[in-house]
Amino acid sequence: MVAAGLWALAAASTLFLGSLLALAVRVPRRIVGTVLGFGAGALLSAVAYDLTEEALSSGGGPLVAVGLAVGALTYFAGNRLVRRIGGAMRPARGTTTANTNGPAIVLGALLDGVPESIVLGATLLGGGSVSVAFFAAVAVSNLPEAFSGTVDLREGGFRPRSIIGLWVAVVVSSSVAAAVGYAVLGGMSGPIVAVVQAFAAGAILTMLADTMIPEAYETGGDVVGLLTVIGFAAAAFLAYFS
C-alpha cells in the first residue's frame, strides 16, 4: 500500500514541478501545447495497452464495456459540475479562466488524477511491478497541465503561495487515492479489478477527447498531431519492454 502511494506521489509530483516552472519562467503557450499533445498520445497508449487490454485479459469480459461507459459518464458529469462551480466552462485539462475559482480547479485536476493514480497503484497488485509506460504517460501529461493551469491562475489574481498549495493538495490526494485503491482492490477478484481499470480508462479517454487534445491543438498548432503519434509510440514501446 505504501509503495502504491509513493509511486502515485512520484507521478503526480510533476504537477508541482509544472507549477513551479510556470511561476519561475515564461514558456510560450505553443510549447506547452506541443507537450500536451505528446502527453495525450502517451495516455492514449496507456489506455489501450495498460488499462483496456489488461482489463480484458483479467477476466472482465462484457463488464469491461460497462466500466468504460460508467467511467466516461462519471467524468462527463464531474466536468459539468466543475463548470458550474467555476461559473465558466473549464476549457481544458488543468486550465482555467480568470473567473474560475480554486475549488473548481482542484476538482477538475482530481477528476483527471485520481483514476490515474488508483490504476497506477493497482499495477502493483499480486506482487507485480509498476507499469513504466503508464507511469511515464501520467508524469509527462501532468507537467503541461500544471504549467498551463498555473499561468491562468496567476493571471486570475491568485497568489503564488495559494497556487502552489492547490497543486500540493492535488498531489497528496492522488497519492492517498492510490494507496487506498491498492488496499481495497487487493482483496477483490480479477473481474472486479478489471472493471475498475475499465472505469479509469473510460474517464481518462473522455478527458482526452473533451479537454486535453482540443487544448493541445488550439495552442500548439497542427504539429500536435505528429507529436501525439510520437507520444503514443513512445508509451507503446515502453509497454512492450516493461
Side-chain angles (χ1 to χ4, degrees):
M1 185 173 79
V2 174
L6 290 177
W7 275 110
L9 182 65
S13 65
T14 51
L15 288 170
F16 179 69
L17 294 177
S19 67
L20 290 179
L21 182 63
L23 292 172
V25 299
R26 293 189 179 276
V27 177
R29 289 278 189 172
R30 185 175 181 85
I31 294 179
V32 176
T34 56
V35 177
L36 271 174
F38 182 89
L43 278 177
L44 280 170
S45 178
V47 167
Y49 299 118
D50 283 285
L51 295 181
T52 306
E53 184 179 23
E54 182 66 25
L56 288 170
S57 63
S58 297
L63 289 177
V64 171
V66 176
L68 285 166
V70 174
L73 288 171
T74 300
Y75 182 88
F76 176 79
N79 198 39
R80 285 204 164 187
L81 177 61
V82 170
R83 296 173 182 177
R84 291 184 180 181
I85 293 175
M89 180 180 292
R90 177 173 173 241
R93 172 183 166 97
T95 65
T96 65
T97 56
N99 61 345
T100 300
N101 58 26
I105 299 164
V106 175
L107 180 56
L110 287 175
L111 281 171
D112 301 338
V114 168
E116 296 170 347
S117 297
I118 291 175
V119 171
L120 184 62
T123 61
L124 297 172
L125 291 174
S129 58
V130 70
S131 169
V132 176
F134 191 68
F135 174 86
V138 172
V140 169
S141 63
N142 280 342
L143 188 63
E145 172 186 7
F147 187 96
S148 182
T150 298
V151 169
D152 289 331
L153 280 170
R154 184 174 56 189
E155 292 176 353
F158 281 79
R159 296 181 177 180
R161 181 178 299 180
S162 299
I163 295 173
I164 292 176
L166 286 173
W167 289 117
V168 168
V170 174
V171 171
V172 173
S173 298
S174 298
S175 178
V176 172
V180 172
Y182 178 89
V184 173
L185 294 175
M188 300 292 182
S189 62
I192 295 179
V193 175
V195 171
V196 173
Q197 291 175 317
F199 176 91
I204 295 171
L205 190 58
T206 306
M207 176 274 296
L208 286 169
D210 186 51
T211 62
M212 191 171 179
I213 293 176
E215 167 72 3
Y217 185 81
E218 180 181 350
T219 58
D222 56 5
V223 72
V224 164
L226 293 175
L227 289 170
T228 299
V229 175
I230 293 173
F232 185 97
F237 180 83
L238 287 175
Y240 179 80
F241 287 101
S242 62

